Amino acid sequence: MDDLLWLDRIQPSNRLQVGEKAFYLSQLRQKRYPVIGGFVIPSPVLRQFLETIEWLDPLFADLPSSSLYVDVDNPYQLQQVAQRIRREMMAAALPETWESTLLAASKKLQAQGLILRPTLALPSHLAFGSTGKISGLLESHVCACTREAIAFGVKRVWAELFRARSLLYWQRARIKLQQIHVGILVQPIHDALASGRVLATKEVWEIQATWGLGMALVRGEVFPDYYQVQPDSGAIARQHLGSKTIAYRLSEGQDVSELPGVQESPSSYAPKVSKQQSIADNYLQTYLLSEEQQKQYALEEKYLTELIELTHRLRADLSPTLILEWTLALLEPGLEAQLYLTQAYPRPPDGAISPNPSQEDTGRRGHGDAGSFSIQVTPSPLSLVTASGNATIRGLGASSGRAMAKALLLAGKIDHPEQLPPGRILVAPSITPDWLPLLQRAAGVVAEQGGMTSHIAIIARELGIPAVVGVRGATKMIKTGDFVMVDGDRGEIYRLESGEGHRQEFYPNSVPQTLQSFTPLATRLLVNLSQSGAIENAKALPVDGVGLLRSEVMMLEILEGQHPSLWVEQGRSQQLVERLTEHISRFASAFAPRPVFYRSLDLRAHEFQSLEGSPSFPATSNPMLGVRGTFSYLVYPEIFQLELTAMAAVYRAGYTNVRLILPFVRTVEEFSFCRRQVEQAGLTQYAQFELWIMAEVPSVLLLLPDYVKAGVQGISIGTNDLTQLLLGVDRDQSQMAAAFDSRHPAVMRAVQQLIQTAKQQGIPTSICGQAPAQYPDLIEHLVRWGIESISVSLDAVESTYSAIARAEHRIILEASRRQLDL
């Protein structure tokens, strides 16, 4: 390993070796700006490491120099290639001399925990606009300051380059692997009082702030406090308090080097990886902010003043327009927080930054030294403009990913969706599931209404397109033809000045992440699905089946824009049954013998009213409580009977791994009615058949023993509806997002009671709402209470697997220690 490069001594000639993030931070630190010290593992080390690996697959034998062509339109191939590369990288050992060098350097930082941050540079002709897009592509990782943990952490950061989503980006952007330079910035990690970012242009500065470490802001889990600052005077033009309910911190009272992993196995590297991953993941934890903190600005006035003064200095030394990320670090308990920069780079208002120097650019750029910055400015129409003076339009990030394309403003019924141009950002007052044909052709979604658990958010996550909902006034600020960028991670929409000279670009979240390795879990991990197009991605994941097959969305693929009742009226019932049978069978055959839990139709009137022949219901102020769920089967029994007929046909075809879940069951009497219909369809004659209900109406919580006596064979807890009914919060209203909290004690006690009562009654329990995926820290509680299966969306499989594994191991470890104490 070549000499490590310390931030204090990095020169402009090292720029390609250290990457953009480290280069700018080093220049700032050398100018005595508040930047935490550290060192960089230079980019050539990755190439050296790849050359030391004895690749088992000949395809990767020349990987350091290979263009590595992958068919990114083949998700299965993409997933398999990414998995094999990363697995072999994690299995390979770093040379002992490298490990010794890294450990010695890390000890000089005098910290128990380290953060390893990828810092990337691209050739200048590829760098246009890349800083913002790539910033969320390669993730940082934390580790203990030990030889084993550092070695694992370094390989984990390098492996980010070969994630499926990364390979997708490189190929779509026409970037060859040998053109990518990835260094690793190693710094000590400390708790933070607050964190945030600054976007400074010539016209206005914007400051965002939230409590704790910056993870909550990066993941779009909070609405940050917002300040608009006048550049010349530094005066606050306006400000508003954000909606902040959670924050991130380091694990309290734990030495990160002693956090438990999984049981060791001498015959495989896989448990070793799991152990170190457990260490990293346990090092950060979320916590609920008190009501008092939620009502306070995260930035005290003195820190706000200091940040403004710091931005003034940076404008003079770096660029008049720039982007900063900052943190108020708590270096030692009891000491006052100190302001530090964690990222800073210039953003010329009329151009893009050249992220690294090359000979071809020297004629257009001055040569810099340790005390200066050198950037290349090229004409660009990407300067941000808004009607209100904000640099971004904000909402609730409902589906991750980024897309940049022309906007398409929609309102009302769309008669011929196939005639609309594909690859657009759909902007509408509200978007309902019956717009599925449009969504399948869209690059992204912006809606004025909706929340994290709305159907549009759920569908967007499964489709892998970015979505921002709850955007007030979106249809007034964005017009058809506007060139916009949607950031579903941060819940932001950038309305760009012009689309001239730009390609449409799409950076989706649709490719599932692959686990480096996995061992069987005691708690079953299931996946939520609704569209047959997602089967190939899902069936290769380490899941135990489909925990929730949403029939109402699946049916949209076969209804041809017509309500099921119209099919019945027109005498096409048999045709509908055949199509439904075919679709259910696709899921059943793909996952057999693993179970597929089919939830029967829950056609809420307000979501499917644009379907031709949709029944007319009395107007209601809250359609969430209207004619839906099993009550609708009493009103329109023929539709439910069609579903049962199709399910019986699926069983006759030999697919006996399908289970039936009844949605939104209000009373035991409703269930009994459905039970009789099931018996008449002949389904109960099959030994494998099971009839479950969704536990989402509080009456199930209070009367579960009565439901079991009536024939319920299992429950699936739907945290989305359960939360809204227990707390009286409409889950589709973005204004109520702060009050919609699935971690509220009332919701958690209800879930715990459901699980424990079900155990007493001898029936299994599953959970399929958004809560486990959105708040992984809840999973340990679920496992301790005895949940038997957890079902999550495709993009949450990896994180949920890790959370379940950690929880199960911790429980086993605690039991072992108690046994030893005896």
Side-chain angles (χ1 to χ4, degrees), residues 324-344:
L324 313 175
E325 293 181 7
W326 56 269
T327 185
L328 288 173
L330 299 167
L331 300 185
E332 293 184 23
L335 295 183
E336 189 173 2
Q338 297 184 41
L339 179 64
Y340 287 96
L341 297 172
T342 57
Q343 186 159 311

Side-chain angles (χ1 to χ4, degrees), residues 741-762:
D741 186 2
S742 296
R743 299 162 301 171
H744 190 281
V747 180
M748 287 294 93
R749 290 179 188 177
V751 172
Q752 180 181 12
Q753 181 178 325
L754 282 167
I755 296 171
Q756 293 174 346
T757 304
K759 289 176 64 177
Q760 294 168 3
Q761 295 295 315

Side-chain angles (χ1 to χ4, degrees), residues 360-416:
E360 65 184 3
D361 298 323
T362 53
R364 292 171 287 175
R365 180 183 61 245
H367 294 277
D369 54 27
S372 65
F373 299 96
S374 55
I375 62 173
Q376 172 196 0
V377 178
T378 54
S380 164
L382 282 178
S383 55
L384 304 179
V385 295
T386 65
S388 61
N390 296 337
T392 57
I393 304 169
R394 293 177 175 80
L396 182 65
S399 179
S400 64
R402 296 184 182 91
M404 183 164 62
K406 289 184 177 180
L408 180 61
L409 188 62
L410 299 173
K413 183 179 179 180
I414 310 299
D415 293 324
H416 300 287

Side-chain angles (χ1 to χ4, degrees), residues 541-801:
L541 294 174
V543 295
D544 297 303
V546 179
L548 179 63
L549 177 53
R550 297 185 182 89
S551 59
E552 54 273 5
V553 181
M554 185 196 75
M555 286 275 281
L556 291 172
E557 296 183 346
I558 63 179
L559 288 175
E560 299 178 353
Q562 297 176 329
H563 196 277
S565 60
L566 184 59
W567 287 67
V568 175
E569 292 174 11
Q570 295 177 346
R572 296 188 292 156
S573 297
Q574 184 57 36
Q575 184 182 357
L576 183 57
V577 167
E578 291 173 357
R579 291 191 178 188
L580 184 55
T581 301
E582 179 188 356
H583 270 68
I584 298 175
S585 298
R586 289 181 191 174
F587 289 90
S589 62
F591 288 92
R594 294 173 287 179
V596 173
F597 287 84
Y598 173 87
R599 188 182 68 186
S600 52
L601 286 171
D602 186 11
L603 295 175
R604 294 183 290 181
H606 70 300
E607 292 184 326
F608 297 91
Q609 59 189 358
S610 63
L611 291 178
E612 183 181 352
S614 178
S616 298
F617 294 102
T620 175
S621 59
N622 187 354
M624 300 291 288
L625 300 178
V627 180
R628 59 171 297 198
T630 52
F631 182 82
S632 67
Y633 303 166
L634 301 176
V635 181
Y636 299 103
E638 60 276 4
I639 297 177
F640 181 51
Q641 290 166 1
L642 290 181
E643 289 186 275
L644 297 180
T645 302
M647 181 163 284
V650 170
Y651 265 75
R652 287 195 300 272
Y655 299 119
T656 57
N657 58 322
V658 180
R659 313 288 184 258
L660 177 61
I661 306 180
L662 300 176
F664 210 77
V665 182
R666 293 177 170 93
T667 67
V668 176
E669 290 74 21
E670 285 182 11
F671 170 78
S672 297
F673 168 81
C674 295
R675 169 75 181 182
R676 290 192 295 271
Q677 298 291 314
V678 168
E679 291 173 348
Q680 292 172 12
L683 287 167
T684 53
Q685 66 178 315
Y686 295 97
Q688 301 92 333
F689 178 78
E690 294 178 6
L691 181 59
W692 288 39
I693 63 172
M694 292 296 300
E696 51 196 353
V697 178
S699 62
V700 177
L701 171 69
L702 300 174
L703 298 175
L704 184 54
D706 298 300
Y707 280 98
V708 175
K709 289 179 183 177
V712 168
Q713 295 173 283
I715 61 171
S716 183
I717 303 171
T719 56
N720 299 343
D721 274 337
L722 184 63
T723 300
Q724 80 165 347
L725 294 176
L726 284 173
L727 301 182
V729 178
D730 189 339
R731 63 187 251 203
D732 280 354
Q733 293 298 320
S734 57
Q735 300 95 319
M736 301 296 293
F740 187 90
D741 186 2
S742 296
R743 299 162 301 171
H744 190 281
V747 180
M748 287 294 93
R749 290 179 188 177
V751 172
Q752 180 181 12
Q753 181 178 325
L754 282 167
I755 296 171
Q756 293 174 346
T757 304
K759 289 176 64 177
Q760 294 168 3
Q761 295 295 315
I763 63 170
T765 58
S766 182
I767 190 166
C768 64
Q770 182 65 18
Q774 189 173 1
Y775 309 112
D777 53 307
L778 300 181
I779 290 176
E780 182 170 341
H781 295 292
L782 296 172
V783 174
R784 289 184 182 276
W785 294 335
I787 197 76
E788 297 186 31
S789 60
I790 298 175
S791 190
V792 296
S793 55
L794 273 172
D795 59 327
V797 167
E798 183 172 4
S799 59
T800 305
Y801 171 89

